[in-house]
Amino acid sequence: MSKFALFWPLLLLAACGGSPKPADAPKPEDTSADSAPKEKPADEKPADSDADKSDTKADAKDDAKKSDAPADDSTKPKKSAQDVLTAPDTVFELSFNDSDVKQTAETKCTASSGNDQKKMNACMSKARQALDIDGYQFKSKDGKVWWLWLRTRGKHILALHKYEVDFADDKGDSVVVKAKGKDMGSAPGRTPGGITIRIPNDYQIAVTDPKLGKLVYSAKIGTQAP
């Protein structure tokens, strides 16, 4: 082969800039453990900041203050117990629904009447009428205070018992009533000893009977008893 035959291919390669450089192959992804993104465990919780901790402590203190706060006394009587009882023209009528006797009657009437609502109503009415005293009234006259035990007969109010009384140990929400002398009522009986009357508010009184439990009476103003 002549020297010219070898020269021409080399000259063509030089004119074209030589053979093209192959493209760089893409670098393989780094799959090592250090380069992989880290995920937080599902149960891992971020640490509480100082602000969150202080808020939690403040809430705990507020709860403690609330638990130590005194109960709401907005319903407590604003007057002395004696003043509540002797309010003019005020009769304290038995509140059957607020007294223990209602629950006792409901238990007995439910057992005796079954599912018969008519029998149930008749039984409850009978239990209510079986109570001897429908209300109380305290009357002040000539420097004396009289305690009237009342019974309603249609439109008439009878004073079955009437005692002169003194008051003792007036705490505002309770007072001891001490009867003295003879029973001056229409159905006189034995004069009772000291009886504690509780005053939950200015409009109700409560007496605990040994057999009947708590009996609640609500004030009715403008009622005249004999």
Side-chain angles (χ1 to χ4, degrees):
M1 182 182 294
S2 68
K3 293 180 179 180
F4 291 100
L6 294 172
F7 177 77
W8 285 109
L10 293 174
L11 184 60
L12 291 171
L13 289 173
C16 295
S19 60
K21 185 178 180 180
D24 294 337
K27 293 182 180 180
E29 294 183 2
D30 189 357
T31 58
S32 64
D34 293 338
S35 61
K38 295 182 179 180
E39 295 183 359
K40 292 182 180 180
D43 58 348
E44 184 177 341
K45 297 180 179 179
D48 293 335
S49 65
D50 292 339
D52 292 339
K53 291 180 180 179
S54 62
D55 289 344
T56 302
K57 291 180 180 179
D59 292 342
K61 289 181 180 179
D62 289 342
D63 292 340
K65 289 181 180 179
K66 290 178 182 178
S67 62
D68 295 338
D72 179 22
D73 60 355
S74 60
T75 61
K76 290 185 178 181
K78 305 300 187 297
K79 300 181 289 186
S80 70
Q82 182 173 342
D83 285 343
V84 173
L85 293 176
T86 58
D89 300 328
T90 300
V91 169
F92 293 92
E93 293 185 348
L94 177 67
S95 178
F96 183 73
N97 290 339
D98 294 325
S99 302
D100 290 346
V101 287
K102 180 188 177 184
Q103 182 61 47
T104 302
E106 282 182 339
T107 301
K108 293 181 178 179
C109 292
T110 298
S112 63
S113 62
N115 295 325
D116 192 324
Q117 189 60 45
K118 188 175 180 180
K119 290 182 178 180
M120 180 70 177
N121 293 341
C123 181
M124 291 296 291
S125 178
K126 184 178 180 180
R128 170 64 181 85
Q129 294 174 4
L131 298 175
D132 293 333
I133 303 301
D134 294 320
Y136 294 126
Q137 186 174 34
F138 291 83
K139 280 190 171 184
S140 298
K141 186 176 181 180
D142 300 330
K144 298 180 180 180
V145 178
W146 297 87
W147 186 8
L148 284 64
W149 297 33
L150 307 176
R151 178 67 170 170
T152 302
R153 301 290 187 188
K155 296 181 179 181
H156 301 285
I157 300 177
L158 305 177
L160 298 184
H161 308 291
K162 182 178 180 181
Y163 309 102
E164 184 184 353
V165 296
D166 290 328
F167 296 97
D169 197 19
D170 190 333
K171 297 179 179 178
D173 59 354
S174 69
V175 66
V176 177
V177 181
K178 297 182 177 181
K180 60 183 181 180
K182 294 182 179 181
D183 183 352
M184 306 296 290
S186 60
R190 182 177 61 86
T191 301
I195 297 177
T196 298
I197 297 181
R198 303 196 179 280
I199 320 289
N201 52 61
D202 288 334
Y203 310 102
Q204 285 185 321
I205 66 174
V207 178
T208 300
D209 184 274
K211 296 181 179 180
L212 302 177
K214 183 177 70 172
L215 299 173
V216 178
Y217 299 83
S218 297
K220 186 174 181 180
I221 301 174
T223 302
Q224 292 288 340

